[in-house]
């Protein structure tokens, strides 16, 4: 399913190991236990349930490059539209100190 949605192969393979039926539990544990540093802060899926995550999948690791590429593309679109009211949901990312 992840392949159809354009998720990175490495992340799809990780979920295949975890098991599709345990995605929610895995996501909760992953967000709680994983520290995202530096530029990888933008692949933290912690806003997934609230709909403001920059990626719509769970990254395979806290330094997944394909996930970072997706998040950077999403962030660039959000930054271009930061004053558009329809992008308010993602203000977390435009206001956050992201290095
Ligand atoms: Zn990955």
């Amino acid at each position: 399913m992840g392949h159809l949605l354009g998720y990175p192969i490495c992340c799809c393979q990780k979920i295949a190991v975890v098991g599709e039926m345990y995605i929610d539990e895995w996501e909760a544990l992953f967000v709680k236990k994983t520290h995202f540093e530096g530029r990888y802060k933008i692949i933290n899926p912690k806003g997934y349930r609230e709909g403001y995550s920059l990626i719509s999948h769970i990254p395979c690791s806290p330094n997944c490059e394909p996930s970072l590429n997706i998040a950077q593309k999403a962030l660039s679109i959000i930054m271009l539209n930061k004053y558009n009211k329809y992008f308010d949901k993602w203000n977390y990312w435009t206001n956050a100190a992201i290095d």
Side-chain angles (χ1 to χ4, degrees), residues 8-12 14 57-61 64-67:
I9 300 289
C10 49
C11 303
C12 293
K14 179 72 175 194
H57 65 277
I58 303 167
C60 61
S61 72
C64 172
E65 285 295 326
S67 293

Side-chain angles (χ1 to χ4, degrees), residues 10-49:
C10 49
C11 303
C12 293
Q13 290 171 337
K14 179 72 175 194
I15 291 303
V17 170
V18 170
E20 291 265 352
M21 66 190 329
Y22 300 111
I23 287 178
D24 291 340
E25 292 85 353
W26 170 246
E27 186 261 342
L29 184 66
F30 186 74
V31 167
K32 185 177 177 182
K33 300 282 186 187
T34 307
H35 186 67
F36 296 86
E37 295 183 3
R39 62 193 185 124
Y40 294 99
K41 289 178 183 174
I42 65 173
I43 66 168
N44 188 334
K46 71 179 180 183
Y48 177 75
R49 290 176 196 260

